[in-house]
Amino acid sequence: MANLRTAIDSGFWDQPISSPQTLEGCARSIPGDPFPVDATRASRALRIQQLSFLGNGFPLRLIPSYHSTSPHTKDPPSFSLQSVLFKLASSDCWLGLVGQFRPQKLISSIKSEFSNAEEIELSVFRDAAKHILDKSLYSIGISSQFSPTPSTSLLLSTERQGHKATPRYKTMLFHQLPSHDITLEAAWPELFLDHKARYWDVPESISLDMASLISDSGFRYRFGLHKNNGRPKAVNATNDESPLALMPGICAKAAFSYEKSKDFWRKKLTKDNGAKEGKGSISSSPYDVRLGQPHAAISGIIGGSCAAWFGSRGSASSADEDSSTSTRKRSPLGADLFGSVCYTLQHGNFTKLYGDLSRVDARLDICSAFALTKKALDIFMSPGSNVDDPLSSPRLNLILQQQVAGPIVFRVDSRFSLSTSSDQAGPHVEDVIYSLNYSLRLLRSGKVVAWYSPKRKEGMVELRLFEF
């Protein structure tokens, strides 16, 4: 089924979102935004581990990615190639070096050099060759991980992109308890992505989070502290107000959720992961064990969150930071309810070469019960009013998956807003992600994913494990 954890994870704080904008391979969603599309959720595997594995299947161990550039620059969209340059690993620690090269920018620079030349002379070739030394073509990142105990892991990483003056630093401490996960993260700066495909750099972001594991009853909770320092800086946007959740301050937040699912029918698997066929005969194991059971099911999640902000009034002014007039203010206290309901229908066991997997997931999200109720009251009291709150609209997520051949599956993730927004009249499509998934049977539920987002003008290749 579509990932119900998206509701609590994105509503609670900063869910990791796949992005080729950093060598780390991810950005963060913004709390208070609509839930992101499922396909954008970042892989649980670290990017350097993905590159190390994916390199075995790509020529010269070069993994491609693509992303648009900032409108502030004249650079063309960037096609990049990434690779692990060095890796040192042992049983409890490892160290790796990742490099990135932008061949499209190099070709564009050389082409421009020749097109602007009045005559083709030796000096033109010499000037064109100098572009190879342009530092904006290259990026480099170092990652290290140390595990002092089997349940504790410390990650340190830094990256420097040649076309950007500021390097990125990140540290993460992860500790597993019997029924909880504790995560401490800090980044300078941290990259965030909003629902309008705009990126924001926060100079300093620190978070301490404790999350319970999902119990047999379906109950789950989280609580934590989050701190932002410095003014958010727009990466690919102009004249836009900074999101209130990214303004300086300390946030204490708690959230809970309860989820449940019910099968209308399901074709069970045997112990050896084979599917029952006919009179007890057993087919080969599915390409992905999580896609090996034809079924129809309905599932739902309901939860709530409360937050308290300290240390800053969190006012956001216009693009001019020196302006003394604030247009919005962040509430020091807040509480809300959220929920999702999902219907899943799957045909096929995903074991045959053709026509053995067709799947549809339809999930309705209520991101904010408070915003939805306020909008309904405003419409009832003032029929001509138009409340421009992105959380006030229910959203329908559709996930379509169809087997192409063998382990290859074509997938489309789409998100529809069911009400009018400031720039769209009536229900409309907000986001679409196209992807090709190559399931790795030996990993039981691992796959190589190549995705592209027309809205963000981005795409990349990832390795994902035990997730949809």
Side-chain angles (χ1 to χ4, degrees):
M1 66 188 65
N3 198 338
L4 293 177
R5 288 185 56 184
T6 300
I8 186 172
D9 290 348
S10 57
F12 180 76
W13 191 242
D14 46 4
Q15 177 173 274
I17 301 295
S18 294
S19 172
Q21 294 280 350
T22 66
L23 295 185
E24 182 192 9
C26 74
R28 301 285 173 169
S29 66
I30 297 178
D33 267 10
F35 304 154
V37 178
D38 269 11
T40 63
R41 190 181 183 96
S43 172
R44 296 178 183 177
L46 298 176
R47 186 59 180 168
I48 188 172
Q49 296 172 336
Q50 298 179 47
L51 296 176
S52 180
F53 181 89
L54 294 173
N56 298 321
F58 282 82
L60 302 178
R61 303 183 67 85
L62 297 175
I63 292 85
S65 65
Y66 176 86
H67 65 85
S68 60
T69 55
S70 171
H72 305 299
T73 68
K74 298 181 180 180
D75 292 342
S78 178
F79 174 77
S80 304
L81 297 172
Q82 297 179 342
S83 182
V84 177
L85 305 178
F86 171 79
K87 183 176 67 174
L88 180 64
S90 65
S91 59
D92 57 0
C93 65
W94 56 263
L95 175 68
L97 179 66
V98 175
Q100 178 177 278
F101 173 59
R102 303 168 66 191
Q104 185 176 1
K105 178 176 173 58
L106 175 62
I107 295 173
S108 178
S109 300
I110 294 177
K111 182 180 178 181
S112 176
E113 194 74 42
F114 279 98
S115 62
N116 294 332
E118 296 181 356
E119 296 182 3
I120 304 301
E121 301 177 347
L122 180 61
S123 60
V124 177
F125 287 93
R126 185 168 56 248
D127 293 338
K130 291 181 180 178
H131 287 287
I132 300 177
L133 303 178
D134 184 359
K135 66 178 183 179
S136 66
L137 299 175
Y138 306 96
S139 301
I140 194 169
I142 302 175
S143 296
S144 62
Q145 186 178 35
F146 173 62
S147 301
T149 67
S151 59
T152 304
S153 181
L154 175 64
L155 174 68
L156 301 171
S157 65
T158 181
E159 64 181 69
R160 180 66 179 266
Q161 299 193 15
H163 60 288
K164 295 183 178 180
T166 305
R168 295 185 182 275
Y169 302 94
K170 185 171 185 178
T171 180
M172 180 177 70
L173 177 65
F174 178 76
H175 182 69
Q176 290 180 312
L177 296 175
S179 57
H180 296 83
D181 291 335
I182 300 177
T183 306
L184 174 63
E185 291 186 79
W188 308 271
E190 181 67 278
L191 185 66
F192 288 84
L193 174 66
D194 67 19
H195 70 289
K196 295 183 178 180
R198 300 172 301 185
Y199 282 98
W200 303 87
D201 260 334
V202 175
E204 180 182 285
S205 179
I206 303 174
S207 64
L208 174 62
D209 179 28
M210 184 172 184
S212 68
L213 304 182
I214 298 179
S215 63
D216 294 336
S217 65
F219 182 73
R220 182 169 178 254
Y221 58 88
R222 296 179 64 175
F223 56 88
L225 291 171
H226 310 276
K227 180 182 179 181
N228 291 335
N229 279 335
R231 281 275 179 178
K233 179 182 178 182
V235 176
N236 62 343
T238 56
N239 300 323
D240 286 325
E241 289 183 322
S242 304
L244 288 176
L246 302 185
M247 299 302 290
I250 300 175
C251 177
K253 197 163 191 178
F256 71 91
S257 67
Y258 177 79
E259 64 182 76
K260 203 71 176 177
S261 63
K262 178 179 177 56
D263 291 341
F264 295 113
W265 59 267
R266 180 178 294 269
K267 192 173 185 179
K268 297 293 185 180
L269 295 178
T270 59
K271 293 182 179 180
D272 61 351
N273 291 327
K276 293 183 178 180
E277 303 252 346
K279 298 180 180 180
S281 60
I282 305 300
S283 69
S284 59
S285 61
Y287 293 104
D288 189 325
V289 296
R290 294 197 173 190
L291 295 174
Q293 297 185 13
H295 67 282
I298 187 170
S299 56
I301 185 172
I302 187 171
S305 64
C306 57
W309 285 93
F310 307 94
S312 174
R313 63 194 181 108
S315 60
S317 61
S318 61
D320 182 8
E321 293 183 4
D322 296 330
S323 174
S324 59
T325 59
S326 298
T327 59
R328 301 172 298 156
K329 290 186 178 181
R330 183 173 59 204
S331 174
L333 296 174
D336 211 339
L337 298 174
F338 56 83
S340 298
V341 60
C342 176
Y343 176 76
T344 301
L345 176 62
Q346 177 178 322
H347 168 75
N349 300 306
F350 201 29
T351 59
K352 301 177 182 178
L353 289 178
Y354 300 101
D356 199 28
L357 177 66
S358 298
R359 182 180 172 116
V360 178
D361 291 79
R363 192 186 75 204
L364 180 66
D365 292 334
I366 304 296
C367 303
S368 169
F370 175 79
L372 180 62
T373 303
K374 183 176 184 298
K375 180 176 183 178
L377 291 176
D378 288 342
I379 293 176
F380 178 76
M381 301 296 293
S382 305
S385 65
N386 183 19
V387 180
D388 190 18
D389 185 346
L391 296 182
S392 64
S393 171
R395 284 169 170 81
L396 177 64
N397 292 265
L398 291 180
I399 304 176
L400 307 178
Q401 298 183 76
Q402 177 61 52
Q403 182 185 25
V404 178
I408 302 176
V409 175
F410 177 67
R411 171 170 167 161
V412 179
D413 289 65
S414 55
R415 184 179 67 198
F416 299 82
S417 175
L418 302 183
S419 64
T420 299
S421 67
S422 59
D423 53 356
Q424 293 282 349
H428 57 278
V429 179
E430 280 193 329
D431 201 359
V432 178
I433 305 289
Y434 303 99
S435 62
L436 275 179
N437 303 267
Y438 186 95
S439 297
L440 303 170
R441 180 178 272 163
L442 292 177
L443 297 180
R444 293 174 55 82
S445 187
K447 58 187 177 182
V448 177
V449 180
W451 60 265
Y452 177 73
S453 169
K455 181 177 182 179
R456 290 157 53 183
K457 296 181 176 61
E458 293 178 346
M460 62 189 298
V461 181
E462 293 185 285
L463 172 67
R464 298 185 178 179
L465 304 173
F466 291 100
E467 53 194 48
F468 284 137

